[in-house]
Structure formats: C-alpha cells, structure tokens
Amino acid sequence: MTDDLRSAGAPTLEDVARAAGVSRATVSRVVNGVRNVDPVIQEAVRRAVSVTGYTPNRAARSLVTRRADAIALVVSGAGVEPESAEEPEDTTASGDGSSFTAQVFADPFFGRVVTGVVNYLRPRGMHPVLMFAESSRAREDVVAYLRQGRADGALVVSTHAEDPLPALIAEAGLAAVLFARPARPVPVSYVDLAHQDGARLAAEHLLGRGCRRIATISGPLDVPAGQARLTGFRDTMARHGHPYIPIVEGQFTQESGEAAMERLLAEHPDLDGVFAANDLMALGACHVLREHGRSVPGDVAVVGFDDSSAALACRPPLTTVRQPVEGMAAEMTRLLLDRLSRPDGPVTSVIFEPELVVRGSA
C-alpha cells in the first residue's frame, strides 16, 4: 500500500478504481459478485483490492446483494417442551449450559459436522452461525432469524425424529438443507448415508470372524438412522441363518452403551460378538467387557459405527463403519449455496456410501 493511501485512512472504492483503471461502479460490481463483468477486468480489480488493502463494507454490501454472507448451522432437538417451565434466554452458540447443549458438545459427531461446514464456507468468505433449537421458542427464534435475513439459509441437524423445525422452515419458504433424511417427508434437500448397507458390512464382518452368538446395541429407534442400522443388521443376520439377534436399545451415548452391555452380558453371558450402532456406545461396551474380564476381540468382537474420534480412543481401537461426516457436511453446505443461487431449483438428496474400517476390536 502506498504512503499516501495509508495517510488518507482506510482505502475506498475510489482508491481501488484508480489502481485498477476502471470506474467506481465497475469495482462495486466485482466486489459484490455481479457475474457479467469481463474476467480480465475482474482480475484487475482483485489485484487492485490486494494492493490497496481495501476491505468491503459488509453492511453496505448486504444492501446491494441482499445477502448476509452467513449461514445458520442449527442443531435442533426434540419436538416436546423441556420439563422446566423456564426457557433459556440465549439459544445461540453461547448457550446456557443446558443438558441439550452439553450433549451436543460431548458428541464427536457434531464437531465433525462443524468442521465440514467451516472448511467449505471459509474460502468463500462466509461464516456459520451456530444455533440451538431444543424448544418451541428456540425454533421460533431460528425461523425469525432467517426471515429477517440475518442468515441466508440454514443447515439443520436434527436429533429427534419428531423435530418440527424442518417443516416450519419449509412452510416459511426459507432455504435449508438437512443432515439426514427426515422422519416425515418435507420438501427440503438432504444428505445422508446408506445406513442399512453400513450395518450389513458390520454383520458380515462379525460372521466372517466366526462369531455366532451375536448381539446388537441399537441406536434410538425413534431416529431414522437408528432404525435403518438395526434393520440392515437384522436382515443381514437373517440371510445368514441367524433369525434371532438379542437387541438392547441405546441412545448414541457412551453411558447408554455401558448400560446396554451390562444387560446383554446378564442375559446372554456366552455372546461372542457385538455390533453397536455408533462408536460412543461401542466404546462403552468395551469398557464393560473389560470390567467383566472379557477380552476384546479374543472373547467378544466389537464393531462400531461412524469412525469418529471415539473409535481411536477405544482400547483396542475400534473396527467400525465409516460415515464420512465432514464430506457429508461439506456437501450439505454446497447444496445450500446452490439453492441460494438457484432458488427455483429442485429439491434433491445425496446419499453417501459407508466403508468398513478394520482395527483391533474385531
């Protein structure tokens, strides 16, 4: 930057225009992303922006583009109200330490979603705004936030099958993409995994190891992913001559995996294989097996699902079904940005394929 520009204060559009040899209006069009500008001129303006150190006024830019250049990343909870009559005042990222917020941050899945979203948005000069919607009031706040244009659209991760937020967003005509197929059909695009195929990989791996007394710790059965993983596992076992599989339902938490494993050992002490529908529950199962003197995988082979940080934290490291969460989150973000650029485009879905990752537990 030249000394005269430094002394004059913050660089302006006029400074960029002089450096690029074009009009102020042309600079404005390039800065605001107007597409019908000659590529040579666009490059000249970008060089001038770099040389002058010009930083666009985001508020002024939003008046021109009618875009906030921000995306709401919404973690949405159950459709029922919390037991307490008092609602938290703050439902954004700062939170209030509620059990819902604590559960979100304790689950490695959500961190992976955030990583995928941030990595996709950052090079595009956009930012995610983390919001929680665990109550009717919080859901109303999210819809109002989007209606006011404070975010251009929403990436929604639901934790409950009866979550009404996707339908509320669709009814309001707001741009959104969901992580995972909604339990009830709504005209909103989504990304998901072929969960049944992933569970099939787990079943075939346990059978291939010679396991014959196999049980499963399912995910919550009011969640589509939990249902699909259980269905895929049971169907595959039945196809291989195992019509009965002991099942204990978990809640995708380590604690629920521990409780489920205690119950399975009490009711089926001779089991030799376990499929847990996520890594956190598998980690809990391995802890309990060790406490009962069962070696993994010598006495009981254990397979998880997700390939999260919990899989590597487990001892031995978990054999698991990989869900490419970061890639799915990036694709979810791409679909939303495409929706924003083509508001009349069709609703769509993208289904990712699972992959078995063999480690020490099975």
Side-chain angles (χ1 to χ4, degrees), residues 154-156 166 170 174-182 186-192 331-332 334-336 338-339 345-350:
L155 303 168
V156 180
L174 299 166
V177 178
L178 311 179
F179 194 109
R181 174 176 57 88
V186 291
V188 179
S189 296
Y190 66 84
V191 301
D192 206 348
E331 179 64 12
M332 174 174 66
R334 186 196 69 78
L335 289 176
L336 180 59
D338 185 61
R339 184 73 173 176
V347 171
T348 189
S349 59
V350 178

Side-chain angles (χ1 to χ4, degrees), residues 131-362:
M131 306 181 74
F132 297 112
E134 76 281 19
S135 66
S136 60
R137 174 177 168 179
R139 286 187 287 273
E140 291 169 2
D141 288 345
V142 169
V143 173
Y145 192 90
L146 295 170
R147 283 185 182 276
Q148 293 162 8
R150 298 169 69 184
D152 299 316
L155 303 168
V156 180
V157 182
S158 289
T159 63
H160 195 277
E162 298 303 317
D163 180 14
L165 184 60
L168 292 174
I169 289 176
E171 290 166 4
L174 299 166
V177 178
L178 311 179
F179 194 109
R181 174 176 57 88
R184 297 180 180 178
V186 291
V188 179
S189 296
Y190 66 84
V191 301
D192 206 348
L193 186 78
H195 296 283
Q196 292 194 33
D197 290 345
R200 173 181 56 78
L201 294 174
E204 290 176 346
H205 183 72
L206 288 170
L207 291 169
R209 281 184 54 88
C211 298
R212 292 297 179 267
R213 298 176 300 280
I214 301 172
T216 184
I217 303 172
S218 78
L221 297 180
D222 60 350
V223 174
Q227 298 169 2
R229 293 176 192 182
L230 178 59
T231 297
F233 190 76
R234 293 180 69 183
D235 284 355
T236 302
M237 294 297 293
R239 288 173 183 269
H240 287 82
H242 298 267
Y244 170 70
I245 301 298
I247 300 164
V248 176
E249 182 179 358
Q251 296 300 317
F252 284 152
T253 64
Q254 182 175 334
E255 294 75 15
S256 69
E258 292 173 352
M261 194 70 250
E262 290 281 5
R263 179 176 164 187
L264 285 171
L265 283 176
E267 298 177 357
H268 307 278
D270 62 341
L271 61 81
D272 62 2
V274 174
F275 167 54
N278 84 335
D279 291 340
L280 281 175
M281 295 192 301
L283 178 62
C286 287
H287 285 175
V288 170
L289 287 167
R290 283 200 302 273
E291 290 175 354
H292 284 263
R294 307 293 181 90
S295 67
V296 177
D299 296 323
V300 182
V302 178
V303 176
F305 202 112
D306 282 339
D307 195 23
S308 67
S309 58
L312 296 178
C314 188
R315 291 294 176 268
L318 275 175
T319 291
T320 185
V321 177
R322 175 174 293 160
Q323 178 174 205
V325 175
E326 294 86 353
M328 294 168 69
E331 179 64 12
M332 174 174 66
T333 312
R334 186 196 69 78
L335 289 176
L336 180 59
L337 297 188
D338 185 61
R339 184 73 173 176
L340 293 173
S341 65
R342 297 189 303 139
D344 297 328
V347 171
T348 189
S349 59
V350 178
I351 307 299
F352 284 72
E353 295 299 324
E355 175 186 353
L356 184 71
V357 179
V358 179
R359 296 194 181 98
S361 68

Side-chain angles (χ1 to χ4, degrees), residues 86-112:
E86 296 183 2
E87 298 254 6
E89 291 298 323
D90 184 5
T91 57
T92 59
S94 60
D96 69 337
S98 69
S99 60
F100 177 77
T101 307
Q103 179 183 348
V104 169
F105 285 120
D107 191 331
F109 167 81
F110 296 105
R112 296 175 67 192

Side-chain angles (χ1 to χ4, degrees), residues 119-138:
N119 287 348
Y120 192 89
L121 287 177
R122 181 181 290 162
R124 293 159 177 82
M126 302 184 74
H127 310 281
V129 178
L130 181 59
M131 306 181 74
F132 297 112
E134 76 281 19
S135 66
S136 60
R137 174 177 168 179

